[in-house]
């Protein structure tokens, strides 16, 4: 595992504009338009340069302010190698003043692809990594539980086991806060039984990650179990 960490030097905020865009960095093939609501992410992608097989992270050129308390925040960027050979850069914005935290990611090779990832888990391997952007929805139909994103959702980086634990916590919370003689409680209790069977490895299941804006994906050591369906225009209009 190749894990390197880089912190920007914030004492030189006035360095020059991003240099030319003729880098050898493979540009994303997704159809994400350049006038989308994420110009900064796209700019960061364009600024990536490949040098002697290593990615050089561009300097962060202006002060980034905390959206909550407006004080200067620290940004860390970590280059992370994935089991399938890809690499991602994980950005974490952390405010020491009020505790605000936000993370985002840029897959170096595959880039963001809007669409639907479908991973079959039938061998007890829960190590596949899930990168879920702000617009990614997760579902395990065999359990009957969906984790949807709210408008202020943060980036989430976890694995299959982490997803199962998160769903289990949600169901447990529902069971504790819902009257036990209701149909809803009974349904949730059945979902919990199915989830526990998945967790024990006695029940195969499918993890579906849908993100029509791009920014989410699944990384696995066994690509034969992963299906990716690119988003169609019709789907994006919904
Ligand atoms: Zn703050």
């Amino acid at each position: 595992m190749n894990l390197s960490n880089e912190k920007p030097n914030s004492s030189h905020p006035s360095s020059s504009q991003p240099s030319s865009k003729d880098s050898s960095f493979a540009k994303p093939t997704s159809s994400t338009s350049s006038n989308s609501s994420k110009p900064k992410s796209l700019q960061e992608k364009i600024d990536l340069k490949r040098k002697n097989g290593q990615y050089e992270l561009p300097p962060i050129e202006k002060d980034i302010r905390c959206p909550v308390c407006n004080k200067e925040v620290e940004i860390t960027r970590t280059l992370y190698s994935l089991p399938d050979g890809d690499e991602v850069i994980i950005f974490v914005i952390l405010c020491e003043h009020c505790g605000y935290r936000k993370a985002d990611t840029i897959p170096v090779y595959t880039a963001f692809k809007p669409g639907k990832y479908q991973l079959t888990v039938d061998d007890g391997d829960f190590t596949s990594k899930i990168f879920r952007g702000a617009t990614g929805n997760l579902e395990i139909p065999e359990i009957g539980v969906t984790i949807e994103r709210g408008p202020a959702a943060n980036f989430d980086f976890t694995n299959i086991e982490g997803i199962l634990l998160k769903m289990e916590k949600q169901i447990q919370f529902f069971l504790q806060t819902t009257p036990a003689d209701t149909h809803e409680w009974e349904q949730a209790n059945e979902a919990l039984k199915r989830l526990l069977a998945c967790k024990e490895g006695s029940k195969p299941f499918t993890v579906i990650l849908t993100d029509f804006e791009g920014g989410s994906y699944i990384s696995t050591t066994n690509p034969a179990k992963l299906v990716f369906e690119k988003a169609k225009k019709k789907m994006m209009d919904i």
Side-chain angles (χ1 to χ4, degrees):
M1 180 165 294
N2 169 26
L3 197 69
S4 63
N5 199 306
E6 186 251 10
K7 285 185 185 180
N9 184 350
S10 58
S11 64
H12 300 291
S14 61
S15 56
S16 64
Q17 279 294 302
S19 51
S20 65
K21 295 166 177 67
D22 59 347
S23 71
S24 57
F25 169 59
K27 292 210 171 113
T29 52
S30 79
S31 57
T32 311
S33 66
S34 57
N35 59 357
S36 76
S37 58
K38 295 172 185 168
K40 196 186 273 176
S41 294
L42 287 169
Q43 189 61 50
E44 291 279 5
K45 272 196 266 186
I46 291 163
D47 286 347
L48 265 180
K49 286 181 182 175
R50 201 167 188 196
K51 206 176 183 183
N52 303 323
Q54 295 292 312
Y55 284 93
E56 186 186 359
L57 301 179
I60 294 171
E61 301 187 1
K62 53 187 171 187
D63 293 350
I64 300 197
R65 298 276 160 181
C66 174
V68 177
C69 70
N70 203 36
K71 289 185 174 140
E72 203 176 317
V73 290
E74 190 183 12
I75 296 189
T76 47
R77 296 180 288 179
T78 306
L79 192 60
Y80 196 90
S81 292
L82 301 172
D84 62 6
D86 205 345
E87 285 180 315
V88 290
I89 294 171
I90 299 172
F91 290 78
V92 178
I93 299 173
L94 180 65
C95 177
E96 289 177 355
H97 304 282
C98 73
Y100 173 83
R101 191 178 186 280
K102 174 113 181 140
D104 206 345
T105 182
I106 296 177
V108 176
Y109 295 110
T110 52
F112 298 99
K113 284 189 216 162
K116 184 161 116 177
Y117 290 86
Q118 201 161 322
L119 179 73
T120 305
V121 184
D122 56 4
D123 54 5
D125 180 3
F126 295 166
T127 61
S128 294
K129 291 186 170 63
I130 312 271
F131 293 83
R132 194 158 61 116
T135 52
N137 288 331
L138 265 172
E139 186 190 356
I140 300 183
E142 290 84 356
I143 297 174
V145 174
T146 304
I147 304 180
E148 286 185 3
R149 285 306 214 180
N154 278 0
F155 170 76
D156 191 20
F157 172 49
T158 183
N159 59 16
I160 305 296
E161 190 178 15
I163 295 301
L164 290 174
L165 288 173
K166 186 176 260 184
M167 286 184 171
E168 188 179 347
K169 268 189 196 167
Q170 283 190 352
I171 298 174
Q172 295 280 17
F173 179 78
F174 186 86
L175 289 174
Q176 284 160 17
T177 54
T178 304
D181 57 353
T182 58
H183 179 60
E184 287 76 19
W185 190 94
E186 195 52 50
Q187 275 188 324
N189 197 40
E190 288 303 313
L192 182 64
K193 284 181 198 165
R194 295 192 292 269
L195 184 145
L196 292 174
C198 292
K199 219 170 112 185
E200 286 165 10
S202 59
K203 182 181 171 76
F205 60 97
T206 323
V207 177
I208 299 174
L209 175 62
T210 312
D211 193 334
F212 293 138
E213 288 184 30
S216 300
Y217 80 115
I218 294 178
S219 172
T220 176
T221 46
N222 191 349
K225 302 207 179 213
L226 183 66
V227 176
F228 176 72
E229 192 186 321
K230 209 173 157 187
K232 295 181 185 106
K233 221 181 171 110
K234 213 168 84 184
M235 291 165 100
M236 307 207 29
D237 290 340
I238 292 170

